[in-house]
Amino acid sequence: MTSARSRATPGRVQISSRPEGPDRWRIDPVGAMSVPGIVFASKELLSRVEDQALQQVVNVATLPGIVEASYAMPDIHWGYGFPIGGVAATDVERGGVISPGGVGFDISCGVRLLVSLISLHELAPRLEALMDTLDVHIPRGLGGSGVWQCDEQDLEAVLREGARGAVRAGLGTDADLARCEDGGSLPGADPTEVSERAMARGLHQVGSLGSGNHFLEVLAVDEVYDSETAEAFGLASSQVCVMIHCGSRGLGHQICSDHVRTMLGAMPRYGISVPDRQLACAPVRSAEGQAYLGAMAAAANYGRANRQALSIAARQAFEAVVGTGDLALLYDVSHNLAKLEHHEVGGVRRLLCVHRKGATRALPPGHPDLPEDLRTMGQPVLVPGSMGTASHVLVGMDPGGAFA
């Protein structure tokens, strides 16, 4: 991923040279920081990180109720409030907050990978025709309309049910839902917390890429690192796949804007101050926190339905050109989301609000949230490449991760 680079004053954030572990760097707590900052990166990657992004790691470490550390993934770069690639958890029962900046404007932006039965060699003579057909079938760009022309009733179903609502409307099958995070539907959605402006922006955009770094890309498997995992995922050398990267469009952007504004007004009532207004937040248990969680879940479901509708458009394009629209879903996962999860902290099981911005879960083998046919292997972890670079499929492991 890329970002505009604007260098801040060098040396503003001091990173310890003391190794915390392989490619793990520590920012010791200073000032209002409640926890350290931990950056996962090689020395080479770390040298490229904007100073503003590291300052955001520091800022996040001041949030009320934060536990363990303010984390940053290897692709960390400057974002809104949180750095992109930022992860932070707050303790719900001990005044922990939720911050829309820890999710971002594109709520539930995520990636899904569709796997075909054909090889690159078989597709080659028809590749140009396929790309021309996808050009017609896949809506993209600012504004515009999606492949699913929803009415208001459809939209409410999308907000409540996510990809499940799309499948119920005939856009896909139960097999698709089995390979989606949360079965394609995030619980707790509350469309009544979504403003009329956000609803209007989202009404006609279900099944569209939007703009920015979002894409639908035809790929081929170039190299297999772990044949056992690849076989379990249905992947083989030269196999054609389709990767879709998009989120909740104008609806999610508006929800973020609306609730940041609300939380900025509410923070003084809770005695909360933050070093950056983009970290506007409220206690998870507060009325404002609950309102945002309900609206965020609705936007998350919108993003999942959006990718589901685009999958149908891709299948139709393949059917028209290749003669088969058999594109099986390997996995769909969001990388802009906050979730309430139980984790052990200091040996005690606690309810945490886990913010992941530009980061996903990577569930290990045996995890109950995985579909049965993936449970023995671990979660497929989808890492899209930037323009002109390779994408990767990894697998969740305990305690680390590995290439598939």
Side-chain angles (χ1 to χ4, degrees):
M1 288 182 280
T2 60
S3 66
R5 291 179 178 267
S6 175
R7 302 299 293 183
T9 304
R12 184 175 53 178
V13 177
Q14 296 297 322
I15 295 186
S16 169
S17 60
R18 182 177 77 256
E20 288 280 308
D23 298 324
R24 175 174 168 141
W25 306 88
R26 177 185 176 93
I27 304 173
D28 289 317
V30 294
M33 293 173 69
S34 302
V35 294
I38 301 294
V39 181
F40 296 94
S42 67
K43 187 176 287 188
E44 180 184 0
L45 283 174
L46 187 66
S47 69
R48 303 177 190 170
V49 176
E50 305 104 328
D51 294 317
Q52 295 99 323
L54 294 175
Q55 184 63 49
Q56 288 182 321
V57 174
V58 169
N59 293 344
V60 170
T62 70
L63 288 176
I66 189 170
V67 299
E68 296 288 336
S70 167
Y71 295 101
M73 301 300 104
D75 72 336
I76 172 182
H77 52 287
W78 189 23
Y80 180 90
F82 274 55
I84 298 167
V87 177
T90 64
D91 190 321
V92 174
E93 305 300 346
R94 301 184 184 185
V97 297
I98 185 164
S99 173
V103 175
F105 283 97
D106 196 2
I107 298 167
S108 193
C109 185
V111 179
R112 67 168 44 198
L113 187 67
L114 303 166
V115 181
S116 81
L117 298 176
I118 62 175
S119 69
L120 181 58
H121 175 74
E122 293 170 312
L123 178 61
R126 291 167 284 183
L127 180 57
E128 186 175 349
L130 175 62
M131 299 310 294
D132 288 343
T133 304
L134 286 168
D135 183 53
V136 173
H137 277 68
I138 306 298
R140 61 204 181 279
L142 290 171
S145 60
V147 298
W148 185 6
Q149 295 302 303
C150 290
D151 58 23
E152 277 128 6
Q153 187 174 355
D154 292 329
L155 181 59
E156 182 161 345
V158 163
L159 299 183
R160 291 191 181 281
E161 302 173 20
R164 291 186 176 277
V167 168
R168 191 164 53 79
L171 300 174
T173 67
D174 288 343
D176 292 329
L177 299 177
R179 290 296 186 91
C180 290
E181 180 185 19
D182 306 313
S185 180
L186 185 64
D190 185 355
T192 66
E193 298 294 351
V194 178
S195 69
E196 289 185 9
R197 173 61 179 151
M199 297 284 275
R201 292 183 67 179
L203 182 59
H204 300 298
Q205 294 185 334
V206 184
S208 62
L209 287 176
S211 58
N213 63 351
H214 300 142
F215 63 80
L216 183 148
E217 188 172 48
V218 178
L219 309 140
V221 178
D222 182 58
E223 187 172 359
V224 173
Y225 300 90
D226 179 337
S227 57
E228 182 183 1
T229 303
E231 182 178 359
F233 287 176
L235 297 172
S237 183
S238 193
Q239 187 171 14
V240 171
C241 304
V242 174
M243 182 174 280
I244 299 173
H245 172 213
C246 63
S248 51
R249 297 295 323 269
L251 178 134
H253 193 287
Q254 189 65 47
I255 286 172
C256 181
S257 297
D258 291 341
H259 288 267
V260 164
R261 189 180 308 113
T262 297
M263 289 185 183
L264 282 171
M267 283 193 300
R269 296 202 303 274
Y270 298 109
I272 296 173
S273 63
V274 290
D276 180 354
R277 62 185 284 110
Q278 294 180 358
L279 287 177
C281 59
V284 174
R285 292 300 195 201
S286 69
E288 294 83 4
Q290 290 297 299
Y292 174 71
L293 276 172
M296 182 208 69
N301 287 335
Y302 185 101
R304 294 164 182 201
N306 189 26
R307 293 191 291 275
Q308 182 65 35
L310 284 166
S311 299
I312 298 305
R315 288 168 178 164
Q316 291 170 345
F318 268 72
E319 177 70 37
V321 176
V322 182
T324 174
D326 193 351
L327 293 170
L329 178 58
L330 173 58
Y331 206 63
D332 180 291
V333 63
S334 299
H335 54 236
N336 282 357
L337 208 57
K339 283 188 165 186
L340 300 184
E341 301 170 359
H342 285 92
H343 293 273
E344 249 190 44
V345 180
V348 179
R349 185 172 168 83
R350 289 153 70 173
L351 179 63
L352 306 180
C353 179
V354 185
H355 303 72
R356 297 183 180 94
K357 183 177 182 180
T360 77
R361 298 195 299 180
L363 302 177
H367 197 285
D369 286 354
L370 288 172
E372 286 187 19
D373 58 347
L374 294 177
R375 199 167 292 163
T376 59
M377 301 307 301
Q379 178 194 317
V381 180
L382 309 177
V383 182
S386 56
M387 184 67 73
T389 65
S391 298
H392 289 85
V393 180
L394 289 73
V395 62
M397 296 185 70
D398 193 4
F403 284 107

